[in-house]
Amino acid sequence: MKNLEQNLNTFTAETVETSYIEADGIRFAYRTFGKPSDVPLVFCQRFRGTIDDWDPALINELARERTIILFDNAGIGLSSGETPESFFGTAKYAYAFIRALGLKQVDLLGFSMGGYIAQIVALEHPDLVRRLILAGTGGGTGEGTEAGKPEVFQVAFKPVNVAEDFLYLFFEQTETSRAAGLAYLERLARRKESRAPLVKPESVQAQIKGAGAWRTISTFDRLGEIKQPVLVANGNHDIMIPTVNSYIISQRIPNAQLIIYPDSGHGFLFQYPEMFAEHVNIFLNKNLK
Amino acid sequence: MKNLEQNLNTFTAETVETSYIEADGIRFAYRTFGKPSDVPLVFCQRFRGTIDDWDPALINELARERTIILFDNAGIGLSSGETPESFFGTAKYAYAFIRALGLKQVDLLGFSMGGYIAQIVALEHPDLVRRLILAGTGGGTGEGTEAGKPEVFQVAFKPVNVAEDFLYLFFEQTETSRAAGLAYLERLARRKESRAPLVKPESVQAQIKGAGAWRTISTFDRLGEIKQPVLVANGNHDIMIPTVNSYIISQRIPNAQLIIYPDSGHGFLFQYPEMFAEHVNIFLNKNLK
């Protein structure tokens, strides 16, 4: 993997250079650093998120124990190509990217829509995925699931999202949670070099179409087939993908641990970066079964 | 507190001597050891459990970071007196015991019925309780709660419980969980000195009456008043106090974290003693809000 050796243990989320690799006709942008580990941790990003939207506080903490790989999928941020109108198509590109790096086994952390992508990759390529972390996500529509309210998606789908939108969508409407949200947004601004552009309107529209299709064809009926140990995590008041969905997928996946955080929403992982990193490390390091 | 200094850092759950203290007309048996800490961790035991039923693997691990206090409540094990026919009465005795030790602030860990006791103490004496850990428990009957099935309680209420009953009631019916259950039962047998007798039939009957009363008068409607940070934890398939109850109380308590463990039941904390201890330590050590 290009640049891997020199990046490990030297760089942080704020300073690591952006690398590129070709696969399936896409030039994928990625960043890798952290402690050398046999199994790297690959991150699958949310709706409208780019390689720059991962919290450096979380990523740097996780990088102390393992190799981190962040990337932009097809048509997003610094990567070329078109964003598929189906999450199954996006998952194919995620797989192609990972395989292009020459990796035979990875841990996957998927956040929100990225959690859907990670589930698909784990189901389609069970030998590739060692363990799975599903943050702020569900498994599609099924018994007991709840959808976010229309007014939430009106904000999420706005042409341009401002800071107040993020505080509303990702954090609890308490002083503590909103303050954590502002601190997160400030941390995101720390990186100066080779920043990704905002996700372009046609890619946002493709992702919205993907979300529509996901309501009828998702992983929900296949959750029982996920053989990997899984950590499901969410805030206790997620308005994007309501928290009960995380409880439900943790009950349907055979080997799943669930952690729900207080006073938080969809963006709990950026509100409690150190604690979530500790929980992730315990999960990835321990033999659960 | 008698014997505290000499017991700290010297003894283990298997070797620490049993101490006694008088309060409210009861001679309470207790055991204390562990790392000196400003706020000790006091354990509230389950239905039919005694001071000998805490897993040494869990207790010794927790004792590395804080002072541990195990005790038999009124009419149980090595303590004198009669067991109240109401959990609110049992909670009064728990409070009297803690105050008799001269403690002004404690963390409480309640398991199953002990979780009800811990909730009551936290609600009645908010200044006494710093943080609360509610393991394998619910908050009584309310919207969305589920009761264990009658056949489960037929086993739990048998005059004598054998090892197979514990494996059925506390563990998942998988090879891995049952093996963990057997290992737990073996660890319980390690302690040789001053063991508690089985809970006597009249105390069992009093606890059963308490459980009956709890169906109509519980903490359920007051969960929103619990001001302490709370860690709610359970196995993903608890048949005694079904897992969904843990999810529900974590949603109703204002500042609650929830952790659900895979491949496990009511006795998850004895199946994953090291991991649960790590999670407890993170919870007790961190500023959650």
Side-chain angles (χ1 to χ4, degrees):
Chain A
M1 194 178 350
K2 187 189 161 208
N3 294 318
L4 185 56
E5 286 306 316
Q6 73 206 61
N7 284 349
L8 298 172
N9 273 332
T10 312
F11 291 95
T12 66
E14 294 91 333
T15 63
V16 60
E17 69 186 69
T18 306
S19 304
Y20 294 88
I21 194 165
E22 297 268 339
D24 260 12
I26 307 291
R27 185 171 182 253
F28 287 97
Y30 70 100
R31 298 179 188 145
T32 183
F33 67 109
K35 182 176 168 186
S37 58
D38 289 341
V39 181
L41 178 58
V42 179
F43 291 69
C44 298
Q45 187 57 289
R46 64 168 167 87
F47 172 68
R48 291 182 93 163
T50 73
I51 197 169
D52 283 329
D53 290 312
W54 296 108
D55 185 354
L58 172 63
I59 301 298
N60 291 338
E61 194 63 32
L62 289 169
R64 293 154 62 99
E65 293 212 18
R66 67 197 74 249
T67 303
I68 298 297
I69 301 176
L70 312 176
F71 76 108
D72 276 331
N73 212 322
I76 304 294
L78 297 166
S79 290
S80 71
E82 290 184 14
T83 298
E85 296 183 353
S86 144
F87 297 156
F88 293 90
T90 301
K92 271 188 194 158
Y93 279 126
Y95 175 73
F97 162 71
I98 292 167
R99 292 295 295 132
L101 293 176
L103 298 167
K104 291 193 169 54
Q105 201 176 39
V106 298
D107 294 326
L108 280 184
L109 186 156
F111 171 42
S112 190
M113 184 196 82
Y116 306 150
I117 307 303
Q119 288 170 52
I120 298 166
V121 174
L123 282 164
E124 302 288 330
H125 308 285
D127 293 341
L128 178 71
V129 181
R130 193 187 67 125
R131 294 190 181 194
L132 199 56
I133 299 158
L134 301 175
T137 197
T141 305
E143 190 189 336
T145 62
E146 284 177 26
K149 293 183 177 152
E151 60 262 35
V152 171
F153 290 101
Q154 275 176 13
V155 175
F157 294 172
K158 279 168 63 176
V160 177
N161 280 133
V162 296
E164 187 56 38
D165 296 337
F166 285 108
L167 295 181
Y168 167 71
L169 295 170
F170 283 58
F171 294 89
E172 181 71 300
Q173 297 318 305
T174 60
E175 210 176 309
T176 42
S177 186
R178 286 176 59 90
L182 280 175
Y184 158 67
L185 293 175
E186 283 169 17
R187 288 194 295 272
L188 286 191
R190 280 190 206 153
R191 184 181 172 98
K192 303 298 175 197
E193 301 298 320
S194 72
R195 289 188 66 96
L198 291 179
V199 177
K200 54 196 175 195
E202 54 267 42
S203 294
V204 173
Q205 289 310 312
Q207 290 183 329
I208 290 175
K209 283 185 185 162
W214 187 249
R215 277 185 230 119
T216 48
I217 303 177
S218 70
T219 48
F220 194 81
D221 292 331
R222 296 178 64 194
L223 292 169
E225 299 167 32
I226 296 179
K227 295 295 175 257
Q228 292 86 353
V230 178
L231 172 61
V232 179
N234 208 343
N236 69 339
H237 192 205
D238 183 345
I239 60 171
M240 298 278 289
I241 300 177
T243 306
V244 69
N245 298 296
S246 296
Y247 176 72
I248 287 169
I249 66 172
S250 82
Q251 286 282 306
R252 296 180 77 100
I253 295 170
N255 188 355
Q257 181 174 31
L258 172 70
I259 307 188
I260 303 286
Y261 295 82
D263 183 40
S264 58
H266 200 57
F268 73 94
L269 65 173
F270 311 135
Q271 179 166 345
Y272 301 107
E274 292 84 8
M275 189 169 11
F276 181 58
E278 269 190 88
H279 288 147
V280 166
N281 282 330
I282 290 172
F283 167 72
L284 291 179
N285 293 339
K286 285 263 166 95
N287 191 9
L288 274 178
K289 194 164 181 176
Chain B
M1 194 177 354
K2 187 188 160 205
N3 294 318
L4 185 57
E5 287 306 316
Q6 74 205 60
N7 284 349
L8 298 173
N9 273 333
T10 312
F11 292 95
T12 65
E14 295 91 333
T15 63
V16 60
E17 69 187 68
T18 306
S19 302
Y20 293 88
I21 194 163
E22 297 268 338
D24 262 11
I26 307 293
R27 186 172 182 252
F28 287 98
Y30 70 100
R31 297 178 189 146
T32 183
F33 67 108
K35 183 176 169 185
S37 59
D38 290 341
V39 181
L41 178 58
V42 179
F43 289 70
C44 298
Q45 188 56 290
R46 63 168 168 85
F47 172 67
R48 291 183 94 163
T50 73
I51 197 169
D52 284 330
D53 291 312
W54 296 108
D55 184 353
L58 172 62
I59 302 298
N60 291 337
E61 194 62 33
L62 290 169
R64 293 155 61 100
E65 293 212 17
R66 67 198 74 248
T67 303
I68 298 298
I69 301 176
L70 313 177
F71 76 109
D72 276 331
N73 212 321
I76 304 294
L78 296 166
S79 290
S80 72
E82 290 184 13
T83 298
E85 295 182 353
S86 144
F87 297 157
F88 293 90
T90 301
K92 271 187 194 158
Y93 279 126
Y95 174 72
F97 162 72
I98 292 167
R99 293 296 295 131
L101 293 176
L103 297 167
K104 290 193 168 55
Q105 202 176 38
V106 298
D107 293 327
L108 280 184
L109 186 156
F111 171 41
S112 190
M113 183 195 84
Y116 305 150
I117 307 302
Q119 287 170 52
I120 298 167
V121 174
L123 282 164
E124 301 289 328
H125 309 283
D127 293 340
L128 179 70
V129 181
R130 193 188 66 126
R131 294 190 181 193
L132 200 55
I133 298 157
L134 301 176
T137 197
T141 305
E143 191 188 337
T145 63
E146 285 178 25
K149 293 185 178 150
E151 60 262 35
V152 171
F153 290 102
Q154 275 176 14
V155 175
F157 293 173
K158 278 168 65 176
V160 177
N161 280 134
V162 296
E164 186 55 38
D165 297 337
F166 285 107
L167 295 182
Y168 167 70
L169 295 170
F170 284 59
F171 295 87
E172 181 71 301
Q173 298 317 305
T174 60
E175 209 175 310
T176 41
S177 186
R178 286 176 59 90
L182 280 174
Y184 159 66
L185 293 175
E186 284 169 16
R187 289 194 296 272
L188 286 190
R190 281 190 205 153
R191 184 180 172 98
K192 303 300 177 196
E193 300 299 320
S194 73
R195 290 187 65 96
L198 291 179
V199 177
K200 54 197 177 198
E202 54 267 41
S203 294
V204 173
Q205 289 309 312
Q207 290 183 329
I208 290 174
K209 283 184 184 161
W214 187 250
R215 275 185 231 119
T216 48
I217 303 177
S218 71
T219 48
F220 194 82
D221 292 332
R222 297 179 63 194
L223 292 170
E225 299 167 32
I226 296 179
K227 294 294 175 258
Q228 292 86 352
V230 178
L231 171 61
V232 179
N234 209 343
N236 68 339
H237 192 205
D238 183 343
I239 61 170
M240 299 277 290
I241 300 177
T243 306
V244 70
N245 298 295
S246 296
Y247 176 72
I248 287 169
I249 66 172
S250 81
Q251 285 281 306
R252 294 180 78 100
I253 295 169
N255 188 354
Q257 180 175 33
L258 173 70
I259 307 188
I260 303 286
Y261 295 81
D263 184 39
S264 59
H266 201 56
F268 74 93
L269 65 173
F270 311 135
Q271 178 166 346
Y272 301 107
E274 292 85 7
M275 189 172 8
F276 181 58
E278 269 190 88
H279 288 146
V280 167
N281 283 330
I282 291 172
F283 167 72
L284 291 178
N285 293 340
K286 285 263 166 96
N287 190 9
L288 272 179
K289 195 166 181 175

